[in-house]
Amino acid sequence: MMILVTQKKIMSSEGDQQSQPLTKPSFSEVQASALVESVFGLKVSKIQPLPSYDDQNFHVCIARTKVATDGPNEYVLKISNTESSKTPDLIEVQTHIIMFLRAAGFPTASVCRTKGDNITSLVSVDSGSEVKSYLVRLLTYLPGRPIAEIPIGPQLLYEIGRLAAKLDKTLEKFHHPKLSSLHRENFIWNLKSVPLLEKYLFALGQNRNREIVEQVIQLFKDEVMTSLSHFRE
């Protein structure tokens, strides 16, 4: 498999995520290490896969050299799937939001720029039968534990709610010329798209929670969908 790296600033382009099934990246650790070195100019000492949904993530440890002794030692390499890679505006806005929040004091990752001083790079992979393109980014690694792994109590829930409110108020001040790329119709991860979950109820089978899920979806239709136009978005 040949990897062709194209260093360029990502410009506006069109992409219909509903038109074709996405292809999740399947880079090996060796290939991912080569990406980090060729695109970002960093020498990898250790790399391992991280959980992901439809993209591909790697936890990357960097080898320090006599020339480069400063900066973080750990990063996350994010390789977007083929369909998301066709909508660079969306990924550009997401990345600028991360940068904006960090500047505002939130404990978010830092964005590592490419050797060409861009925030993303488009990588073309020739598998022999076809060429696929993937957008890659490198962010600093944030150590910690997922909330699902620690006991939940009132104080923690309060802190989560407080952080969410602060995040919401801060993002009211965020502006970007391509912000409209975030508005995607029928995007299942959008909270106002709850009714779309009905077509996945079969996955619950006869699970005792199915009735609760059905009730929540119906309540959302009755009490939220009818008032959506009155809510701030």
Side-chain angles (χ1 to χ4, degrees), residues 54-149:
D54 53 13
D55 298 323
Q56 193 175 17
N57 303 318
F58 289 93
H59 181 189
V60 180
C61 295
I62 298 302
R64 284 286 160 229
T65 64
K66 293 181 180 179
V67 177
T69 57
D70 298 327
N73 290 322
E74 297 180 79
Y75 295 87
V76 174
L77 175 68
K78 299 185 69 67
I79 307 173
S80 298
N81 64 70
T82 52
E83 286 306 302
S84 294
S85 296
K86 295 176 184 177
T87 55
D89 287 357
L90 176 64
I91 294 176
E92 179 183 328
V93 171
Q94 290 174 349
T95 307
H96 276 283
I97 288 174
I98 293 173
M99 297 163 68
F100 174 80
L101 290 174
R102 182 168 179 82
F106 284 82
T108 60
S110 295
V111 177
C112 181
R113 291 186 173 272
T114 68
K115 291 194 293 187
D117 198 32
N118 301 313
I119 60 176
T120 60
S121 181
L122 189 64
V123 176
S124 297
V125 178
D126 187 351
S127 62
S129 58
E130 60 180 330
V131 176
K132 294 179 180 178
S133 296
Y134 304 92
L135 275 176
V136 299
R137 293 177 285 173
L138 191 68
L139 308 173
T140 53
Y141 178 79
L142 295 177
R145 294 172 63 191
I147 286 221
E149 296 179 1

Side-chain angles (χ1 to χ4, degrees), residues 110-204:
S110 295
V111 177
C112 181
R113 291 186 173 272
T114 68
K115 291 194 293 187
D117 198 32
N118 301 313
I119 60 176
T120 60
S121 181
L122 189 64
V123 176
S124 297
V125 178
D126 187 351
S127 62
S129 58
E130 60 180 330
V131 176
K132 294 179 180 178
S133 296
Y134 304 92
L135 275 176
V136 299
R137 293 177 285 173
L138 191 68
L139 308 173
T140 53
Y141 178 79
L142 295 177
R145 294 172 63 191
I147 286 221
E149 296 179 1
I150 59 178
I152 298 292
Q155 184 60 34
L156 180 59
L157 292 173
Y158 171 80
E159 293 297 334
I160 293 171
R162 186 171 182 269
L163 180 63
K166 183 181 177 183
L167 181 75
D168 189 59
K169 294 297 291 183
T170 302
L171 285 176
E172 288 180 9
K173 305 170 188 173
F174 178 76
H175 300 286
H176 192 280
K178 299 171 184 175
L179 193 61
S180 60
S181 63
L182 294 179
H183 295 276
R184 290 170 284 175
E185 291 299 321
N186 298 321
F187 181 56
I188 200 166
W189 297 105
N190 188 329
L191 289 179
K192 70 179 182 180
S193 298
V194 166
L196 294 179
L197 297 176
E198 283 185 315
K199 62 183 179 182
Y200 298 103
L201 284 172
F202 71 89
L204 293 174

